[in-house]
Each structure stands twice: as structure tokens, then as C-alpha cells.
């Protein structure tokens, strides 16, 4: 078994226009002061990194590594959540997601998709230059507007959506394979890959590509009322990344998992800072450790109540406490009788 790495932190929710949150150097110094050892870097914010430069310049990547190392921190992974979303966008969401794209391709869905694909391919190259072995993204969604079967879905609609999704992602997966990096889809409502069944549908469409893997985030399963511990049993061989994020689902007599279009603070299902929700992190860390997960435990802060800086500070200590330093000996070694193979055969009545 291997010891999970961490604590690390996803920087997307902390970037801002004021120091120390407005530069890679500054934010690395801040997270290091809280006890973090790794940073997961969003690639769409040039205050932290320039993705195109990282894809094409080893010197630039070495500078990023050195900047992090100055603070005793390493880059754990890169993220293209926003760009991955744009690989597949249903027309109903064109305007809502257009702001994720470069201004030059907004209002042009075909150009926007081509831009997104190129962003993913650059991320594969950048990850390789940075010496990383996993990458975080979203799958995008073509079928999501039809997730609830009313009106009844016409025959073949879902199959066609997943066929097209697979067609779009196959060349990207090949680019990540060439770079030697696992592409990890965050299983997330709003994406076509939002549970185990939809992930399996996607695997079928990409011929079970070895680079098609999972970013495991239990908070999204709490909100779906899905057994997030059993999920690990089913898909542990594909789980290559881990977001440590808490959530709670407090059912009531007025609305359920869909939330009634309410603000987050009023919804039955809502994200919370680590330790304030219902996720059994001890169970999760135990299962991932038993299944030999050797990646990073990465805090993703999303909370409708607590200040992000407090969530980050508390989260570092929580993750450190959850990480299990694996044992190098059996607890009952003291009772080892030291018998040999011949004695074993005698004990079984074979000699």
C-alpha cells in the first residue's frame, strides 16, 4: 500500500486581484503558510499560469516548479474544468457557458469547441513538461437537459449523445496518452458524466481508453443520494484524482435533491467546508488507502456559509489528520510461529 499525498489545494476558488491571491508566487506562499504541500492549478487564469507558454516552453515550466518549490510546495495537477466544459455544450447552454471561452471565439460554438480541444491538448503537453501524471477536467454535456425522462426521451437520443461525446474526446485522450498523463473527469451533475452508469456509458464509447479516468469528489454524490463509499469499490481502478470536499443533504417537506431553484444556503443539498458536512472522510481515506490510491488529497473549498480563508486553513489540518500513514508490518506479527512449508503440510494432514 501507498500513503496518500497531501494536503494539496485547488486554487481556482482563491484567485483574486489582491495579494497574495493575484500571482502564483504569492498564492503558493499563502497556501504553504497554512500547511499545504501541493497546489492544483487552474489553467484558464493567467494570473497563475500561461497555458500556451507551459505547453511550449520547458524553461517556463521549470520556472513554475521553482516558484512553488521556493515555498516548499509542488504542483500536484493542472485543471481544465472550464475548457473541458466547452468540448460539448448543448445549445440551451450556449450563452451561459460562452464566458468560459476566449473572447475571440465567443458567439461561435464551432470555433469555441475547436478552441477548447486545443486547450486540452496544450494541457497534456504542459502536464508532461511539469512532470505530472494526472489532469482534471469536465466532460461537457449534450444529454444533460434530458436527464429527467419527461417528456419521454425519444429512442436513441442518449445513445447518440454519448456516441458524439466519445467521438469528441477520443483525440484528446490520445493526446494525453502520448503525454503519459491520465485524464480525470470530475463526476459532476451538469456534466454528462455525473455518476457511475454515465461514466460506464462513456467508457464504452471511447473503447475503455486507459487514460479515461475519474476525479473522485464525494460531495457531488451526497447531493445525488449516491453511495460514495460503494462507488470506490466499483471504480477504484479508474480513480486517479481526489477532491476533498464536504456536503450535506437535509431532506425536508418542501423540496429535495433538485433544490427548488433556491440559493445554495437554502437548498436541502449544499456544499460545506470540510468537517461541517456529512461526508465520511475517514471511510473514504481508508478505502482509497486500501485500494492503493497514491495520488493527492486536494481540498476544493466550496461552502455557502464559511469564509474561504477559514475553510482553507481548517481544511489543511483536516486532510493531514485523515491521511493514513500505511503500515509496513502486520499487527499480529508478534504471534508468528515461524513454521515452514513442511510444517504447514503436517498441519493440513498432508504428511
Amino acid at each position: 500500500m501507498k500513503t496518500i499525498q497531501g494536503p494539496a489545494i485547488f486554487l481556482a476558488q482563491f484567485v483574486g486581484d489582491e495579494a497574495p491571491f493575484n500571482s502564483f508566487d504569492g498564492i503558493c506562499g499563502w497556501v504553504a503558510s497554512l500547511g499545504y504541500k501541493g497546489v492544483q492549478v487552474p489553467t484558464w487564469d493567467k494570473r497563475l499560469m500561461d497555458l500556451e507558454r507551459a505547453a511550449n516552453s520547458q524553461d517556463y515550466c521549470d520556472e513554475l516548479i521553482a516558484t512553488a518549490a521556493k515555498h516548499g510546495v509542488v504542483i500536484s495537477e493542472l485543471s481544465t474544468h472550464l475548457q473541458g466544459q466547452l468540448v460539448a455544450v448543448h445549445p440551451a447552454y450556449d450563452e451561459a457557458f460562452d464566458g468560459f471561452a476566449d473572447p475571440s471565439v465567443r458567439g461561435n460554438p464551432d470555433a469555441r469547441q475547436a478552441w477548447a480541444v486545443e486547450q486540452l491538448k496544450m494541457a497534456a503537453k504542459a502536464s508532461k513538461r511539469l512532470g505530472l501524471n494526472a489532469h482534471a477536467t469536465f466532460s461537457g454535456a449534450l444529454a444533460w437537459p434530458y436527464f429527467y425522462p419527461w417528456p419521454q426521451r425519444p429512442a436513441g437520443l442518449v445513445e447518440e449523445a454519448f456516441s458524439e461525446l466519445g467521438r469528441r474526446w477520443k483525440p484528446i485522450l490520445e493526446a494525453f496518452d502520448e503525454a503519459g498523463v491520465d485524464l480525470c473527469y470530475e463526476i459532476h451533475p451538469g456534466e454528462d458524466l455525473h455518476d457511475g452508469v454515465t461514466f460506464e456509458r462513456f467508457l464504452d464509447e471511447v473503447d475503455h481508453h486507459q487514460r479515461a479516468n475519474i476525479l473522485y469528489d464525494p460531495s457531488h454524490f451526497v447531493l445525488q443520494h449516491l453511495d460514495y463509499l460503494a462507488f470506490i469499490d466499483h471504480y477504484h481502478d479508474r480513480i486517479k484524482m481526489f477532491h476533498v470536499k464536504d456536503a450535506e443533504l437535509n431532506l425536508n417537506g418542501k423540496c429535495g435533491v433538485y433544490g427548488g431553484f433556491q440559493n445554495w444556503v437554502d437548498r436541502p443539498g449544499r456544499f460545506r467546508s470540510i468537517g461541517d458536512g456529512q461526508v465520511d472522510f475517514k471511510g473514504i481515506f481508508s478505502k482509497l488507502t486500501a485500494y492503493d490510491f497514491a495520488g493527492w488529497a486536494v481540498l476544493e473549498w466550496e461552502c455557502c456559509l464559511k469564509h474561504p480563508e477559514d475553510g482553507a486553513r481548517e481544511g489543511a489540518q483536516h486532510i493531514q489528520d485523515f491521511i493514513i500513514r500505511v503500515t509496513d508490518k502486520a499487527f499480529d506479527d508478534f504471534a508468528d510461529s515461524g513454521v515452514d512449508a513442511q510444517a504447514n503440510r503436517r498441519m493440513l494432514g498432508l504428511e
Side-chain angles (χ1 to χ4, degrees), residues 10-286:
F10 187 29
L11 299 178
Q13 285 86 3
F14 299 95
V15 185
D17 291 329
E18 297 181 1
F21 307 108
N22 59 352
S23 71
F24 188 61
D25 181 43
I27 207 166
C28 282
W30 174 68
V31 302
S33 73
L34 300 178
Y36 288 99
K37 301 175 182 177
V39 289
Q40 188 177 98
V41 185
T43 61
W44 57 84
D45 197 317
K46 290 190 177 181
R47 288 171 293 188
L48 298 184
M49 69 171 293
D50 185 315
L51 178 58
E52 186 172 2
R53 284 186 66 191
N56 294 296
S57 171
Q58 188 61 51
D59 287 343
Y60 177 66
C61 287
D62 291 343
E63 290 174 11
L64 291 173
I65 293 169
T67 297
K70 179 175 67 174
H71 301 286
V73 172
V74 302
I75 299 172
S76 62
E77 302 100 356
L78 301 181
S79 155
T80 54
H81 280 83
L82 300 193
Q83 301 99 312
Q85 184 78 63
L86 300 181
V87 171
V89 178
H90 187 279
Y93 296 99
D94 265 336
E95 190 165 348
F97 285 141
D98 222 24
F100 289 179
D102 186 81
S104 65
V105 297
R106 292 175 187 170
N108 186 335
D110 290 339
R112 184 184 63 202
Q113 182 197 342
W115 173 85
V117 170
E118 185 58 29
Q119 288 276 300
L120 266 293
K121 290 181 177 179
M122 287 194 295
K125 294 177 181 178
S127 294
K128 181 178 181 179
R129 290 188 184 279
L130 290 165
L132 308 178
N133 56 23
H135 180 81
T137 198
F138 277 149
S139 68
L142 298 173
W144 179 253
Y146 310 104
F147 84 98
Y148 194 81
W150 180 257
Q152 184 175 350
R153 293 186 291 258
L157 178 74
V158 172
E159 290 76 7
E160 182 64 26
F162 275 85
S163 177
E164 177 64 18
L165 195 69
R167 186 190 68 78
R168 295 186 187 192
W169 278 102
K170 275 183 181 178
I172 301 172
L173 286 163
E174 287 301 311
F176 275 86
D177 194 35
E178 184 177 344
V181 179
D182 289 320
L183 186 54
C184 302
Y185 299 95
E186 183 168 356
I187 307 301
H188 187 293
E191 311 303 315
D192 281 345
L193 308 191
H194 58 271
D195 58 16
V197 171
T198 52
F199 179 70
E200 290 179 16
R201 281 184 182 271
F202 180 72
L203 281 183
D204 288 341
E205 296 297 338
V206 296
D207 302 320
H208 290 254
H209 200 289
Q210 65 173 342
R211 297 299 178 183
N213 289 294
I214 291 172
L215 191 172
Y216 173 78
D217 182 337
S219 68
H220 300 299
F221 300 150
V222 169
L223 269 58
Q224 294 183 70
H225 225 280
L226 187 156
D227 188 335
Y228 53 83
L229 291 175
F231 185 94
I232 298 173
D233 292 325
H234 288 296
Y235 302 109
H236 58 88
D237 59 334
R238 292 277 181 173
I239 295 173
K240 305 295 184 181
M241 292 178 65
F242 174 26
H243 271 178
V244 185
K245 193 171 81 178
D246 213 339
E248 60 186 359
L249 181 60
N250 300 308
L251 298 178
N252 63 61
K254 289 190 174 183
C255 68
V257 296
Y258 301 138
F261 297 110
Q262 297 179 99
N263 293 327
W264 277 108
V265 71
D266 299 315
R267 295 169 66 96
R270 56 189 190 175
F271 299 126
R272 298 298 307 277
S273 289
I274 300 178
D276 296 339
Q278 298 167 347
V279 174
D280 177 8
F281 286 111
K282 287 186 177 180
I284 290 171
F285 275 79
S286 293

